[in-house]
Amino acid sequence: MIRVQREDFDVGRELERLSAGDHTVGGVASFIGLVRDFNLQGGSSASSAERVSAMTLEHYPGMTERKLAEIEAEANRRWPLAASLIIHRYGRLEPGDRIVLVATASPHRDAALAACHFLIDWLKTEAPFWKSEETPEGERWVEARAEDDAAKSRWSREG
Amino acid sequence: MSAPVKLLYFAWLRARIGQVEEEVPLPPQVRDVAGLLEWLRGRGPRYAEALRDLSVIRVAVNQDYVGAEHPVRAGDEIAIFPPVTGG
């Protein structure tokens, strides 16, 4: 299931709902992305980084849902999942706020964990979202990171 | 006859071009994405500046990522944006 929304979500309730009533599920894996109060573009460690007081997430309505559905379908092709969920927020968010929830349920933990990792790696390079950060120097668009492409390519395979 | 396409801009491209979206008639010589970007660069300094470095530009035609050789046709929804940074 895909949801793109401005409002926050309740992690506990979402995870419970994912496996509710399905007793073939042996494990639920999840990833929660949060807004940090620093960015790494000024340096590689938190001490040399720039403070971030808020960020705004913009997206491409229509294509976002379409890409997320494609990514989810691909995860379901690769692993035997009983259920999967992607919730991604947009709009203005502050440090500590939740940005994204990815969750997978499967009879086996390996499938649930791998599919969850795959989904967040793919989402970061495929789903049309853009972050703009508010820093002491003003607003700045976050640049894509080569590490994110590398993380995605780990999951590539022929065919 | 020129045929219209819908252009959408996101993130810093939207800010630099100064528009969220526009309908433009495609000149007959524009047949693919590369041709479209080249033509757009000639529409004014804002476009030229925003589209100067194509290595940081991504294009989706009808909501699918495409490469420079992808054809563009009347009625297409063409989105131009920087590499994505969600998650």
Side-chain angles (χ1 to χ4, degrees):
Chain A
M1 184 194 260
I2 302 298
R3 273 157 50 199
V4 180
Q5 61 188 46
R6 190 178 285 277
E7 59 274 17
D8 194 13
F9 45 83
D10 181 326
V11 174
R13 191 188 310 166
E14 297 299 341
L15 296 184
E16 249 174 56
R17 198 182 294 164
L18 198 64
S19 61
D22 184 349
H23 296 158
T24 69
V25 172
V28 174
S30 63
F31 175 86
I32 300 155
L34 305 173
V35 179
R36 278 190 306 240
D37 68 357
F38 67 93
N39 82 33
L40 295 173
Q41 285 175 21
S44 56
S45 70
S47 59
S48 63
E50 204 171 40
R51 303 292 297 175
V52 172
S53 54
M55 71 163 52
T56 299
L57 272 137
E58 172 177 337
H59 78 114
Y60 179 179
M63 184 171 173
T64 305
E65 291 81 357
R66 185 183 166 119
K67 295 310 289 185
L68 292 178
E70 279 178 24
I71 295 163
E72 187 184 41
E74 180 61 23
N76 278 273
R77 266 194 295 276
R78 293 185 183 207
W79 291 279
L81 301 179
S84 53
L85 172 67
I86 303 172
I87 304 177
H88 204 304
R89 297 176 68 191
Y90 61 89
R92 189 172 181 278
L93 302 173
E94 296 183 346
D97 284 351
R98 285 175 279 269
I99 304 171
V100 62
L101 170 66
V102 175
T104 51
S106 173
H108 306 290
R109 72 176 182 281
D110 285 349
L113 287 166
C116 184
H117 197 174
F118 165 88
L119 282 170
I120 188 64
D121 280 354
W122 268 56
L123 181 159
K124 285 192 88 78
T125 56
E126 294 284 312
F129 286 94
W130 301 273
K131 290 174 181 149
S132 164
E133 293 174 335
E134 295 171 30
T135 74
E137 279 80 53
E139 285 219 31
R140 178 153 79 183
W141 290 98
V142 174
E143 283 173 36
R145 298 164 71 236
E147 292 92 326
D148 291 336
D149 286 327
K152 183 200 169 201
S153 66
R154 160 174 38 172
W155 300 100
S156 70
R157 62 182 189 190
E158 56 292 343
Chain B
M1 279 301 288
S2 54
V5 293
K6 186 179 183 184
L7 300 176
L8 305 175
Y9 308 108
F10 292 96
W12 54 255
L13 261 154
R14 166 179 52 70
R16 286 187 199 169
I17 287 174
Q19 299 208 58
V20 175
E21 64 174 78
E22 57 182 331
E23 294 245 346
V24 299
L26 266 192
Q29 76 272 17
V30 172
R31 296 173 191 283
D32 58 18
V33 167
L36 174 69
L37 295 176
E38 184 61 43
W39 174 71
L40 282 174
R41 277 200 293 251
R43 290 182 79 211
R46 279 176 164 268
Y47 291 89
E49 163 58 21
L51 301 170
R52 186 170 43 85
D53 180 3
L54 294 185
S55 72
V56 290
I57 305 282
R58 300 290 179 269
V59 176
V61 172
N62 301 324
Q63 304 187 354
D64 275 318
Y65 291 109
V66 298
E69 294 85 41
H70 190 86
V72 294
R73 298 192 177 91
D76 280 348
E77 176 178 298
I78 304 169
I80 305 174
F81 47 76
V84 302
T85 55

